[in-house]
Amino acid sequence: MGTPCRSGFCFLILVLVCICLCGHSVSAENRRPKNVQVALRAKWSGTPLLLEAGELLSKEWKDHFWDFIESWHQSMNEDSDSNTAKDCLRKIANYGKSLLSETLASVFEFSLTLRSASPRLVLYRQLADESLSSFPLADDISSNPVDGGIPEPNETTNVKKSELFLLGMNPRSPGKRCCWIDTGGSLFFDVAELLLWLQSPNVAADDTFQQPEIFEFDHVHPDSTAGSPIAILYGAIGTECFKEFHLTLVEAAKMGKVKYVVRPVLPSGCESKSGPCGAIGAEEPLNLGGYGVELALKNMEYKAMDDTTIKKGVTLEDPHTEDLSQEVRGFIFSKILERKPELTSEIMAFRDYLLSSTVSDTLDVWELKDLGHQTAQRIVHASDPLQSMQEINQNFPSVVSSLSRMKLNDSIKDEIIANQRMIPAGKSLMALNGALINIEDIDLYLLVDMVHQELSLADQYSKLKIPLNTVKKLLSVVPPSESFTFRVDFRSPHVYYINNLEEDSMYKRWRSNINELLMPVFPGQLRYIRKNIFHAVYVLDPASLRGMETIDMIISLFENNLPLRFGVIMYSAKLIEKIEANDGELPLAQLEDDSGEDISSLIIRLFIYIKEHHGALMAFQFLSNVNKLRLDSSTDDIPERYHVEGAFVETILPNAKSPPQETLLKLEKEQALNELSQESSMFVFKLGLAKLECCLLMNGLVHESSEEALMNAMNDELPRIQEQVYFGHINSHTDILDKFLLESGIQRYNPKIIADGKVKPKFVSLSASILGKESVLYDISYLHSPETMDDLKPVTHLLAIGITSKKGMKLLREGIHYLIDGSKNARIGVLFTANEDTNLPSLYFVKVFEITASSYSHKKGVLRFLDQFCSFYEREYMLASGVTASTQELIDKVFELADANGLPSKGYESALSGFSTSKLKTHLNKVTQFLYKQLGLEYGVNAVITNGRVIQLLDGNTFLSHDLHLLESLELKQRIKHLVDIIEDVKWEGIDPDMLTSKFISDIVMAISSSMGLRDRSSESARFEILSAEYSAVVLQNDHSSIHIDAVIDPLSPSGQKLSSLLRILSKYVQPSMRLVLNPMSSLVDLPLKNYYRYDDFSSTDRIVHGPKAFFANMPLSKTLTMNLDVPEPWLVEPVVAVHDLDNILLENLADTRTLQAVFELEALVLTGHCSEKDHEPPRGLQLILGTKSSPHLVDTLVMANLGYWQMKVFPGVWYLQLAPGRSSELYVMKEDADGSQETTLSKRITINDLRGTLVRMEVVKKKGKEHEKLLVPSDDDNHSTNKEGNQNGWNSNFLKWASGFIGGKDQSKKDESTSVETGNVGRRGKTINIFSVASGHLYERFLKIMILTVLKNTQRPVKFWFIKNYLSPQFKDVIPHMAREYGFEYELITYKWPTWLHKQKEKQRIIWAYKILFLDVIFPLALEKVIFVDADQIVRADMGELYDMDLRGRPLAYTPFCDNNKEMDGYRFWKQGFWNDHLRGRPYHISALYVVDLVKFRETAAGDQLRVFYETLSKDPNSLSNLDQDLPNYAQHMVPIFSLPQEWLWCESWCGNATKSKAKTIDLCNNPMTKEPKLQGAKRIVAEWPDLDLEARQFTAKILGENVEPQEHAAPPFQTPDKISDFSSEDEESRAEL
């Protein structure tokens, strides 16, 4: 940093210089530096900060929400001296912070500033609106306007309703009431009505009304009783009515009368009733933070700027004062002004002079070379390195020249170069507590959430008395990243193989050396080795259709000599249903009655017989024959008995020694075969594989049963085996199957436990429950395997058991068997639940169990005692059909079993003598509340909770002891083992040594692992410590912080610009320790940054109240800048206030205005998802709709082939996703996403309650009988567009009317007035012509209006224009409705968010080009059949109907080839030489200024998907696709064919020459790479009618905006070749551009 002048003499010289400068400058005032200020606001109205605070506290801990309400209600009685916005904010923050620890309080305050809870309140508004509208009884109340509001006209009610839902509008106060209660059956607006209802809530809640739905985000009062009638209070803290309702409902909840829920809403019109601070934040627009703004230096090679007079803007609000403490060219002006305040104006003039001359125009290559190292040196040596990094990379064009003059320290350069041997130069990485963060996706909201999560865990662990250094270790440990491959151990006599590669003669000629696996082969080639390497065992029901198809596939693959060992395990689905119904036991009595009905069992018996007597081959042939006979009889159903018997006879007849019919009769009575068949089904049931219907076990790994899945499974398994062979772990004598199953074999497969990443397991944190002495878990007694009671138990299974439930008792017994089998690492705790009517024996059973667990769990016979006791209780008190045994019999049995198992019966006698049922019932009620509140389990649900992982056992699900072993094994390896290693090394302080028991440590492990389960973070890490950090790194230590950030940053990169801001915000609010290794590019040849950048500013308290803004002080006056926003991925934003052209900002044109101001709006959040279909490509063209329960279709979209991607525009709320009516829902259904379930569902609930959006993964399956039908049915004739009417075979014929609201990406085109074709369109008849265009910047919008006029003046039919909304200015969007009405055309604004998986362009111009071509299939409504793209700067001289109706001969696209008759340009025709000439092979290269898209053909042929694939491949090379919208379709035309339009359809002077101009149907103002003539000048010279059209358009615009326009324009100066281009200009990218 420069040193300010210290001597008086020096200062005197400085002042003289200032005076000289001021005296000699005539226009000093005009040359004063200018500023730019940007704000971004939400589309929804403001939300109260008071309610936001409650939501943020609830996120921390649910009870904090209720504590906050109580403390605020108490504060309402206190008088406050001041109630300004700042005072209220301070008061709200202080009340919130008082409930939190210091570190969490800091994040709470920042989150309040960030307004991150506002979307949750918008969601409650939606639910409140639905609550009011769902009751006709409330119509009279809700329709009354409040505060002079005017009710909407009836005819627009439906439209308004959908808009309200989508915009997150605040519901109006119903009848001046600010609170109401919704019970599902009625609404109450008065406490008196509520009290009446509370007298008998159960009676009122009759069956005709459904109870309101409760969501996971709802605030349920802690005293609420599970199963009670629900009462939802809609209202706002601070209002009197809320307080009255709240007090009443709290009392009712404590009495067990209701389940009390609050949904905070401050209805419109109630602001004055919400107390002094209740409405703060609700009465002004919601300004958002968490975004960046870029002002990029623009390439002005073609001078594409509007020359109309710059208009004065209205100042929105007083912007920032300038920060004089920042250094300018070595001077710190704040200190100079302190010393000489009387020379303020002269000193400031000198400062302005220095600032206006800071942007360097040129920098020589040798000055650039070490710029990265010089930047690193400046940052590292600064007193505040983060601030220095931010100032450098966010003002780079202004500081680059001073950086380049710095003398470089060699040690810094050497260390950077040494580090770059281990990490690529310019690469940026960042990790939070050891876990890598994706820098591309990171935004402030996500980062704050991640930091909050870490701080919250640290806070919990510190309360558990864990030392800080251990807390840091726990937070930094990364779980094992390798995915554990669990193999099902299927080895048993029930596996029947068709072959054995090691023994069968047919494989004798194959080689037997297993090292052959390591030999290279061609891709896809199999290795034929005489060894059982791959065991493909199929688990199937031989009578099911899938089972029979699989048998045929096995025989076919076997006959084709595939090097696999094939086998089957067969089961009867009917028998397994009976086993499940009989709680996992064989129902012997039933089997004796109906043994003849089960076809599957019959097939298995006959198969076993044939295999034993005639060999495996003939047995498999029998299975195939069953299917053959079934097919021959033309039945699509399962085989009948006669098919099976016929196949049996046909199979054994050639080798039979006695008549096969006799054999059949004998076999029916053969008990041994029957038992084998039943055992086989029982084996499959115990393996847990019956639910999968038909599956493949590849060496024990579970896969689908298809042939494709088999090959994929084989390819996945091969590298694992090759690795083991390479290291010598497997040799030619190893039994590979035995080896794998011994290492990682499991006895049971349960899709509920092994989620395979498809469904995220449910976790709950148990740490708070362990801390509370009143908690159920605090004094629970655990059961252990024999002789392991004193060992540390990392795994804790909590079993939630309904005492009257047979399933619960079955689960309890399986848990006891699990411990009897032996487990060194696990313990079991039992949580019994019971209802009020539970009988006395059941209560005694619970009491005996508790006595046993608490007093005798160390005894050897305790598990055997409990097993026998449970068996007796189940038999005598649950299954007994007649009179059950008495309580005394139960007690006697306890004494008897106790004595038999070595337990003291006297102890039981004394413990049971003083038994109090009321005390036990109170305890059971407490357990029920705990399960409901903490774990989200409704009453009566049996569940297993393993270290916080919750698995509910719903009907039809059996949970065996093997499942507990599987859970233990999985959880220990994936989540717990690495935590135990840390906890075992802890040096405990401040804890009584007697407390450090194995139970205490096991509790700690359970608490930590359960809370870690909720953590959402990457499992990837990086070894940052190997990089040196002595000279070239910023190290900020904070030993008291539990947050540590490691990063590698290139400070001179776009990611460096964002990261420096994020890290600085973080350091201010959280004070983490940081180690930032700087990694700039080592040898630069061009400037790395050509922009200014700001991240919204949170520095002043004013920003906290009014929202943050991005502020650029002292920007260069003579440079043309273009503004871009860097927003979080799910945000769709648009400018709503911008007087000046944000595409071409030239600050010297601002005249007296000091600050250019722009306001953007968050138009919507983007809901994105991926849709898949099992074993198939994604269902391309599938239509999806999204809405609420009452309005199911508010927005819609279709699924791309690329990754099954789709997107829709949404706002915060509760939404339901469905398949659209028509072909999509006729063919498909959605699958449930829970626990590997095969169930289907009609809709999928999606909750949007934050600003980060959500990614939805959904799976669809074809309906039964529709498996072979196609979703997209191609049109038969290529010329379908000309005679589409009446053609019902087109793939989207069902949707032409339906899809008019496609993707939610369009603005309503205001059809009620502004786009109706009435006023100026009387003579237009026929089919509407659709024209699509895109424009950015005031000049191109000026061109666009002229293009619209030329189309309308030359076209006779109705016209509808489609404009890409993203880049249009607010002025254009204001004018276009009036223009549509005046000139008689329709229009629609459309948008599509760039998908995250598609390689993103960085420059605005290239993004606009991409929008012209990449999303044509998804950006328009499905109803649209054809569209013509016309460049904004085009003049149309022909009827566009002629082009619209042209026969494209089945091609999806039609372009005009480039002219070649202007010989002067031959040197610029790149397509006639080099790469393009070779690639095109005689095909023409087309110009992209005008093209036709046959959207029906485009979608049918997946042209959009193919173009995106080409783009993804090519765009990663910065030298390809230099003119993206033109190069891409020309490159892809061999896959996406182009119809070449006649040459006269597009003429441009640069390429065509004047000879053909007279025949031109459209004229395009192409850039001329030879002359580089400015657009405006060329337009006036080339097109005779252009000045008149321009004047007409400008006069119309001026009339609408209330401005004046001069009819006579100044003559344009003669065009001159531009001087030397600035080094800031990017490469000549527009030389071939059409925009």
Side-chain angles (χ1 to χ4, degrees), residues 990-1005:
I991 291 183
D992 184 348
D994 294 340
M995 288 282 292
L996 294 174
T997 60
S998 60
K999 180 183 185 301
F1000 175 82
I1001 306 294
S1002 299
D1003 283 353
I1004 294 289
V1005 172

Side-chain angles (χ1 to χ4, degrees), residues 308-380:
T308 46
T309 314
I310 302 294
K311 296 166 281 289
K312 282 191 177 181
V314 180
T315 303
L316 301 173
E317 70 175 68
D318 192 27
H320 276 245
T321 53
E322 296 188 51
D323 184 3
L324 299 177
S325 63
Q326 292 189 9
E327 173 207 338
V328 179
R329 294 285 189 93
F331 297 103
I332 298 176
F333 281 87
S334 57
K335 296 196 174 176
I336 298 172
L337 286 168
E338 279 173 23
R339 295 176 185 178
K340 292 289 178 182
E342 68 277 10
L343 295 173
T344 298
S345 59
E346 290 89 346
I347 292 168
M348 290 304 288
F350 178 54
R351 180 174 181 271
D352 290 346
Y353 169 77
L354 291 178
L355 285 166
S356 65
S357 59
T358 53
V359 183
S360 307
D361 281 332
T362 57
L363 215 60
D364 293 312
V365 174
W366 57 85
E367 292 179 287
L368 283 168
K369 187 171 176 290
D370 286 326
L371 201 53
H373 301 144
Q374 290 164 316
T375 303
Q377 182 171 314
R378 171 77 65 90
I379 292 166
V380 171

Side-chain angles (χ1 to χ4, degrees), residues 800-818:
I801 306 290
I803 187 59
T804 56
S805 155
K806 292 180 187 176
K807 287 270 181 206
M809 191 52 60
K810 170 72 179 167
L811 174 62
L812 180 57
R813 291 193 65 194
E814 289 294 336
I816 294 168
H817 293 164
Y818 160 75

Side-chain angles (χ1 to χ4, degrees), residues 1339-1347 1432-1433 1565 1575 1586:
L1339 175 65
Y1340 278 98
E1341 290 176 353
R1342 182 175 167 186
F1343 283 136
L1344 185 57
K1345 291 172 197 166
I1346 293 164
M1347 183 271 279
D1433 61 349
L1565 301 172
K1575 284 268 182 187
W1586 197 91

Side-chain angles (χ1 to χ4, degrees), residues 417-430:
I417 292 169
N419 282 339
Q420 287 173 351
R421 294 191 190 106
M422 288 171 279
I423 188 166
K427 172 90 172 170
S428 291
L429 287 173
M430 180 171 160

Side-chain angles (χ1 to χ4, degrees), residues 1455-1517:
Y1455 286 77
T1456 310
F1458 263 90
C1459 304
D1460 56 4
N1461 52 345
N1462 185 356
K1463 299 304 176 190
E1464 290 180 5
M1465 302 298 291
D1466 280 355
Y1468 292 93
R1469 288 190 172 88
F1470 56 88
W1471 59 90
K1472 293 205 167 184
Q1473 54 202 338
F1475 164 80
W1476 276 106
N1477 189 46
D1478 295 339
H1479 180 75
L1480 292 170
R1481 296 189 179 182
R1483 291 188 184 93
Y1485 184 87
H1486 303 82
I1487 189 166
S1488 65
L1490 174 83
Y1491 55 90
V1492 187
V1493 189
D1494 181 343
L1495 287 167
V1496 177
K1497 202 75 188 170
F1498 195 86
R1499 290 175 182 136
E1500 265 176 25
T1501 56
D1505 296 310
Q1506 292 181 59
L1507 287 171
R1508 286 186 286 271
V1509 169
F1510 278 118
Y1511 165 80
E1512 184 70 14
T1513 308
L1514 296 171
S1515 61
K1516 289 172 182 173
D1517 176 2

Side-chain angles (χ1 to χ4, degrees), residues 837-966:
D837 306 326
T838 304
N839 60 26
L840 197 57
S842 298
L843 295 175
Y844 265 96
F845 173 84
V846 174
K847 183 64 181 173
V848 169
F849 203 99
E850 286 186 356
I851 294 166
T852 309
S854 59
S855 305
Y856 308 119
S857 57
H858 59 286
K859 296 278 187 181
K860 198 171 182 181
V862 68
L863 295 175
R864 200 167 53 250
F865 165 79
L866 286 174
D867 186 38
Q868 292 167 359
F869 179 52
C870 289
S871 177
F872 169 77
Y873 171 77
E874 185 180 19
R875 187 175 63 250
E876 298 296 328
Y877 295 88
M878 297 182 79
L879 302 178
S881 52
V883 180
T884 56
S886 67
T887 308
Q888 189 57 46
E889 286 179 61
L890 182 82
I891 296 170
D892 293 343
K893 190 67 178 178
V894 170
F895 299 157
E896 179 192 326
L897 291 173
D899 288 336
N901 290 288
L903 304 182
S905 56
K906 295 285 183 192
Y908 283 102
E909 194 174 339
S910 61
L912 289 172
S913 60
F915 174 48
S916 160
T917 55
S918 59
K919 197 173 176 184
L920 181 62
K921 280 185 176 179
T922 305
H923 174 71
L924 290 174
N925 190 43
K926 188 177 169 186
V927 172
T928 304
Q929 289 294 90
F930 166 77
L931 293 174
Y932 174 68
K933 257 182 68 182
Q934 305 299 332
L935 310 184
L937 296 175
E938 291 289 346
Y939 168 75
V941 173
N942 299 302
V944 179
I945 302 100
T946 303
N947 287 50
R949 180 177 173 182
V950 181
I951 297 176
Q952 293 190 37
L953 304 188
L954 305 172
D955 291 340
N957 290 318
T958 310
F959 212 81
L960 305 181
S961 60
H962 289 312
D963 288 314
L964 290 169
H965 281 294
L966 174 60

Side-chain angles (χ1 to χ4, degrees), residues 1540-1610:
S1540 295
L1541 296 171
Q1543 197 70 63
E1544 65 264 20
W1545 271 105
L1546 195 142
W1547 180 92
C1548 92
E1549 184 186 65
S1550 305
W1551 308 101
C1552 299
N1554 287 319
T1556 54
K1557 184 176 178 181
S1558 59
K1559 296 179 184 175
K1561 294 187 175 180
T1562 68
I1563 296 176
D1564 187 60
L1565 301 172
C1566 301
N1567 291 324
N1568 189 320
M1570 185 186 292
T1571 64
K1572 297 183 167 57
E1573 181 181 17
K1575 284 268 182 187
L1576 268 177
Q1577 193 165 311
K1580 295 168 188 172
R1581 181 179 58 76
I1582 296 166
V1583 186
E1585 65 267 36
W1586 197 91
D1588 292 336
L1589 289 165
D1590 180 45
L1591 184 60
E1592 180 182 348
R1594 289 194 303 114
Q1595 284 178 334
F1596 181 80
T1597 302
K1599 182 177 78 174
I1600 298 302
L1601 299 178
E1603 297 166 350
N1604 297 319
V1605 63
E1606 296 175 21
Q1608 186 68 41
E1609 288 203 74
H1610 301 295

